[in-house]
Amino acid sequence: KQEVTQIPAALSVPEGENLVLNCSFTDSAIYNLQWFRQDPGKGLTSLLLIQSSQREQTSGRLNASLDKSSGRSTLYIAASQPGDSATYLCAVRTNAGKSTFGDGTTLTVKP
Amino acid sequence: DGGITQSPKYLFRKEGQNVTLSCEQNLNHDAMYWYRQDPGQGLRLIYYSQIVNDFQKGDIAEGYSVSREKKESFPLTVTSAQKNPTAFYLCASTPKGALWKNTEAFFGQGTRLTVV
């Protein structure tokens, strides 16, 4: 059974810092890995999708990497801003119709 | 604009009552999903549907039921058999085709259900 772990559970940084969020998974037979952002009481917004054949994806200040063999993905946020404060979830898709989510990392960026 | 709409945003239910959460999408997606999220936790899959008139149980289907009579609609009923129904419920969809498992999932804004 696929298990997804996100570390740390919570992170607080001053504005302007670069930071890394981690996601690890136990079954490397994945189709893709997706990073989401969730604001309190809201749905999920897709940030980046990495296919199993890719190593990384970039969007603006965000960069996500994928190392299937070691079962790890990282989300790098450059020059963090208070508006980046949210919970970040990673999800791996391992078979048709099902994705497994981590518990998320709650990020607080202080002005 | 295309998207997924969940309604209502907040829902209160008395113990012993069934309640139905709505999920509608106009993205022309074949596959739709229902997830449950509890405080400080990730999402757990309740039910999913790959095509109209077909659906499968996810990891925590007990106490829930779904229907998929139309491509754009995937309502979730929380029955009185669900022992701990208070949670945040999220609906999602993905595009059709053999490659759909390699595509992004799109989510609605969620429904917060509280049992009183």
Side-chain angles (χ1 to χ4, degrees):
Chain A
K1 180 183 176 184
Q2 177 75 269
E3 293 182 4
V4 179
T5 303
Q6 290 187 247
I7 295 173
L11 182 63
S12 180
V13 300
E15 183 177 3
E17 271 203 10
N18 302 328
L19 59 100
V20 174
L21 307 181
N22 297 292
C23 174
S24 61
F25 46 94
T26 55
D27 184 349
S28 61
I30 67 171
Y31 290 116
N32 63 43
L33 184 146
Q34 195 167 356
W35 281 95
F36 295 89
R37 169 187 174 134
Q38 185 177 30
D39 293 286
K42 299 289 182 65
L44 276 63
T45 301
S46 178
L47 297 174
L48 289 164
L49 173 72
I50 309 178
Q51 304 292 359
S52 60
S53 58
Q54 296 175 324
R55 297 283 293 181
E56 66 177 337
Q57 283 286 327
T58 298
S59 175
R61 294 182 293 108
L62 304 179
N63 175 277
S65 68
L66 175 63
D67 184 342
K68 272 181 50 178
S69 60
S70 66
R72 295 178 189 275
S73 175
T74 62
L75 179 66
Y76 175 82
I77 303 177
S80 57
Q81 303 170 358
D84 294 331
S85 298
T87 297
Y88 291 82
L89 293 159
C90 72
V92 295
R93 186 170 301 166
T94 51
N95 57 22
K98 298 178 74 170
S99 292
T100 303
F101 283 78
D103 288 346
T105 294
T106 299
L107 172 66
T108 302
V109 180
K110 298 178 179 178
Chain B
D1 289 336
I4 301 177
T5 302
Q6 289 187 241
S7 62
K9 186 174 181 179
Y10 299 97
L11 190 56
F12 296 87
R13 187 196 90 178
K14 292 183 179 179
E15 280 192 31
Q17 289 181 339
N18 293 354
V19 64
T20 298
L21 282 59
S22 170
C23 178
E24 304 276 332
Q25 54 97 1
N26 59 3
L27 299 166
N28 199 34
H29 286 178
D30 272 358
M32 297 185 74
Y33 315 77
W34 274 106
Y35 291 90
R36 171 187 171 131
Q37 185 179 37
D38 293 284
Q41 297 187 29
L43 279 64
R44 291 182 290 169
L45 183 65
I46 304 172
Y47 267 99
Y48 62 105
S49 168
Q50 299 189 48
I51 57 172
V52 175
N53 293 323
D54 181 68
F55 49 84
Q56 291 84 40
K57 292 182 178 180
D59 299 320
I60 54 166
E62 185 176 352
Y64 299 98
S65 66
V66 293
S67 63
R68 188 81 188 282
E69 297 176 2
K70 299 186 296 182
K71 185 176 184 179
E72 59 270 22
S73 179
F74 190 40
L76 173 74
T77 297
V78 184
T79 75
S80 57
Q82 169 49 234
K83 291 180 171 48
N84 186 22
T86 295
F88 189 54
Y89 291 86
L90 285 158
C91 178
S93 70
T94 54
K96 69 173 287 185
L99 297 179
W100 68 270
K101 55 181 173 283
N102 290 327
T103 60
E104 288 182 274
F106 294 81
F107 280 80
Q109 289 299 298
T111 293
R112 186 166 299 281
L113 173 64
T114 303
V115 174
V116 297

